[in-house]
Amino acid sequence: KNEVEQSPQNLTAQEGEFITINCSYSVGISALHWLQQHPGGGIVSLFMLSSGKKKHGRLIATINIQEKHSSLHITASHPRDSAVYICAVIRGAGNTPLVFGKGTRLSVIA
Amino acid sequence: EAGVTQSPTHLIKTRGQQATLRCSPISGHTSVYWYQQALGLGLQFLLWYDEGEERNRGNFPPRFSGRQFPNYSSELNVNALELEDSALYLCASSLGGVLYEQYFGPGTRLTVT
């Protein structure tokens, strides 16, 4: 079993829909990242969080440390949000590198 | 401010050859990370350098090696290339250590024939 599990694997949404991508992990962590990878391969870091909630534009990330779960929400989705969204965690005290989920492929249709 | 840069963009090698990939971090960043993303697979951690030292290494054979130079740029070397080494190799940089946000380069796509 992978240490970081994402759901769903694939997601198709209509433009304007509210989208939720989930990430569960089985180890103690120092922090969690949400990354976005566009079809060309480039990766952008969206959020790094260790507690609570962060918001940037139409994107919201939450984390529940006790339940070992994080969610990424996209409000008013747009075709340009189509990408692979990757959850990654820093295990333990923070001296270990990132452990990645397999990603969620999102397609937003106009 | 310039982002993380990687060269070359694409690299085609034959089995058994050696490949060298290069990464320049964001100015002021001392940590450089290398990741492999093989087709259909997720990202896997390869190597982490900070202040010129190797800090951690992923579950890859010794023919994957690298170094970090005094100006914090880094090189990834892959010896005795195998077909399964074909992948996108991504470099990222951060201020000192994994608890800082990582900024990714555009990647080098290595094809081994």
Side-chain angles (χ1 to χ4, degrees), chain A residues 16-31:
Chain A
E17 282 186 8
F18 180 84
I19 288 162
T20 296
I21 298 170
N22 296 299
C23 175
S24 296
Y25 50 92
S26 57
V27 294
I29 67 168
S30 301

Side-chain angles (χ1 to χ4, degrees), chain A residues 30-31 33 35 37 40-48 86 90 93-98 100-102, chain B residues 33 35 37 41-45 48 55-57 88 90 97-106 109:
Chain A
S30 301
H33 290 255
L35 309 171
Q37 186 172 30
I43 291 180
V44 174
S45 176
L46 299 174
F47 296 103
M48 178 176 164
I86 302 167
I90 302 168
N95 294 325
T96 57
L98 293 177
F100 297 90
K102 292 191 183 303
Chain B
Y33 313 84
Y35 301 100
Q37 189 176 39
L41 298 178
L43 282 157
Q44 289 187 279
F45 165 72
W48 167 24
R55 298 298 183 189
N56 210 316
R57 181 184 179 83
L88 180 67
L90 290 154
V98 294
L99 292 179
Y100 291 91
E101 187 170 0
Q102 294 187 24
Y103 296 81
F104 286 78
R109 188 163 297 280

Side-chain angles (χ1 to χ4, degrees), chain B residues 57-104:
Chain B
R57 181 184 179 83
N59 189 24
F60 282 83
R63 56 192 187 82
F64 287 84
S65 65
R67 55 180 170 166
Q68 186 177 35
F69 299 99
N71 67 353
Y72 302 114
S73 67
S74 178
E75 206 172 76
L76 173 68
N77 295 294
V78 188
N79 292 320
L81 284 165
E82 299 179 3
L83 296 178
E84 54 264 34
D85 297 332
S86 294
L88 180 67
Y89 289 84
L90 290 154
C91 168
S93 75
S94 75
L95 296 169
V98 294
L99 292 179
Y100 291 91
E101 187 170 0
Q102 294 187 24
Y103 296 81
F104 286 78

